[in-house]
Amino acid sequence: MRIVITGAAGFLGSHLTDRFLAEGHEVVGVDNFLTGSRDNIAHLADNPRFQFIAHDVSKYITVDGPVGGVLHFASPASPIDYLQHPIPTLKVGSLGTHNALGLAKAKGARFLLASTSEVYGDPQVHPQPETYWGHVNPVGPRGVYDEAKRFAEAMTMAYHRVHGVPTRIVRIFNTYGPRMRAHDGRVVSNLVVQALLGRPLTIYGDGSQTRSFCYASDLVDGIYRLFWSERVDPTNIGNPVEFTVLELAKLVREMLHVTAPIQHDPLPVDDPKVRRPDITIARSVLGWEPVVDLRHGLERTIAYFRTVLPK
């Protein structure tokens, strides 16, 4: 199949591109490099089954030739990015989703939306099942990302109901691994980079807030299975093993054998207190669950950052 992936030069988009190519498909990657990196797709330059289009999907897009699938992964996805680029974040979630869905409709292709656990906001139900409607502050600083994704889900379901587009929605929980940007503001990259550079490890608040960390290869496998499934409703993909941020900081410090102090900074506005997916549906419908535990995933992530940080 010939697949279009928006955000193909991003952290997850590039790993997903690799997976589809490894399975024998052709991929047309689309990215405007707002937060993506050419380095993430440099290894594909001579791959005859990969084509790249430099384009902002918030503007109308067309692709020549047949397309069997459209996966919409274009969007700033870390707090530091969507707080710095609030309007492009809203545009790619609304106009970008509209354009990507329009391409899928025109080509008779199946469509997969990369949504997020952020649609649950600061949840009052724990762990979070797909049936939970969320607890989001629409006018807070994080709302530009949360509401962009919530709108994108509504648009995706509308195209399914009105136009019959075969759609899939993945709600992605915290993910980490190679190709994360060193200074993207996500907790894993922050802590690993700070430890490698011998700096204090920064956590927000007292560190008691929880997250569930899914290694990139596990997440991509879940998304790949969802794409080929017949499930239309949103599906959580993430690791259900929960850690406090303080536990993560101590683990990173232990693994890197550093004694750097832990620095407590003020908690960001609307920062979720808990976050853990209920993956009952992913297990039963997709036969999927993560296989890489946090320690082994961190080993691989640390090895990657050692190669990209200044010596």
Side-chain angles (χ1 to χ4, degrees):
M1 186 179 287
R2 189 162 179 251
I3 304 292
V4 173
I5 299 178
T6 73
F11 164 47
L12 289 179
S14 63
H15 284 294
L16 198 61
T17 296
D18 286 345
R19 175 63 184 268
F20 273 94
L21 290 171
E23 298 286 349
H25 304 287
E26 296 178 45
V27 175
V28 179
V30 181
D31 207 299
N32 68 343
F33 300 113
L34 180 66
T35 58
S37 171
R38 294 182 188 275
D39 292 342
N40 290 341
I41 54 173
H43 63 290
L44 301 176
D46 297 323
N47 190 319
R49 289 185 289 109
F50 178 71
Q51 175 190 353
F52 182 74
I53 300 173
H55 182 75
D56 178 357
V57 75
S58 297
K59 300 172 184 175
Y60 174 77
I61 182 171
T62 185
V63 174
D64 293 335
V67 172
V70 177
L71 294 92
H72 183 36
F73 276 71
S75 178
S78 70
I80 196 171
D81 289 332
Y82 56 72
L83 295 177
Q84 185 178 356
H85 303 289
I87 294 174
T89 299
L90 287 162
K91 282 186 173 181
V92 79
S94 55
L95 300 174
T97 302
H98 188 204
N99 291 333
L101 279 162
L103 177 64
K105 176 175 176 285
K107 297 291 185 177
R110 86 174 50 190
F111 177 87
L112 186 144
L113 171 70
S115 188
T116 171
S117 61
E118 292 291 330
V119 301
Y120 301 124
D122 186 7
Q124 297 173 310
V125 172
H126 190 67
Q128 294 81 58
E130 290 89 347
T131 52
Y132 177 49
W133 291 355
H135 179 228
V136 173
N137 177 3
V139 296
R142 297 174 73 102
V144 298
Y145 183 63
D146 301 0
E147 296 294 5
K149 291 296 189 180
R150 288 161 69 94
F151 176 89
E153 287 194 9
M155 175 72 81
T156 298
M157 293 305 297
Y159 261 70
H160 173 72
R161 293 179 181 122
V162 175
H163 297 302
V165 176
T167 57
R168 314 286 181 263
I169 297 172
V170 57
R171 288 179 178 163
I172 298 169
F173 283 68
N174 291 63
T175 308
Y176 68 102
R179 300 183 192 164
M180 297 182 82
R181 298 194 342 266
H183 305 290
D184 69 0
R186 304 185 203 209
V187 62
V188 171
S189 50
N190 268 2
L191 294 174
V192 169
V193 168
Q194 288 169 343
L196 286 171
L197 296 178
R199 297 173 181 168
L201 275 59
T202 304
I203 63 175
Y204 298 99
D206 62 5
S208 63
Q209 65 271 37
T210 67
R211 298 293 185 267
S212 305
F213 302 103
C214 191
Y215 189 67
S217 61
D218 279 338
L219 188 92
V220 166
D221 184 53
I223 292 169
Y224 189 80
R225 294 182 189 214
L226 177 61
F227 178 79
W228 294 109
S229 79
E230 297 304 315
R231 179 169 169 81
V232 172
D233 291 330
T235 305
N236 290 338
I237 300 290
N239 195 315
V241 181
E242 192 174 13
F243 294 87
T244 69
V245 173
L246 184 58
E247 287 173 334
L248 175 66
K250 290 179 177 178
L251 179 58
V252 168
R253 196 164 58 172
E254 172 204 324
M255 292 178 64
L256 284 168
H257 308 291
V258 298
T259 57
I262 292 176
Q263 175 181 312
H264 294 264
D265 283 0
L267 202 62
V269 176
D270 298 327
D271 191 61
K273 299 175 186 65
V274 292
R275 184 61 58 78
R276 174 161 65 98
D278 180 332
I279 63 167
T280 302
I281 288 173
R283 284 188 173 118
S284 62
V285 175
L286 308 180
W288 176 88
E289 62 183 323
V291 297
V292 180
D293 64 33
L294 182 59
R295 184 176 288 271
H296 287 98
L298 283 175
E299 287 174 353
R300 301 173 195 177
T301 306
I302 289 167
Y304 166 76
F305 278 120
R306 287 190 191 278
T307 68
V308 298
L309 290 176
K311 299 294 187 284

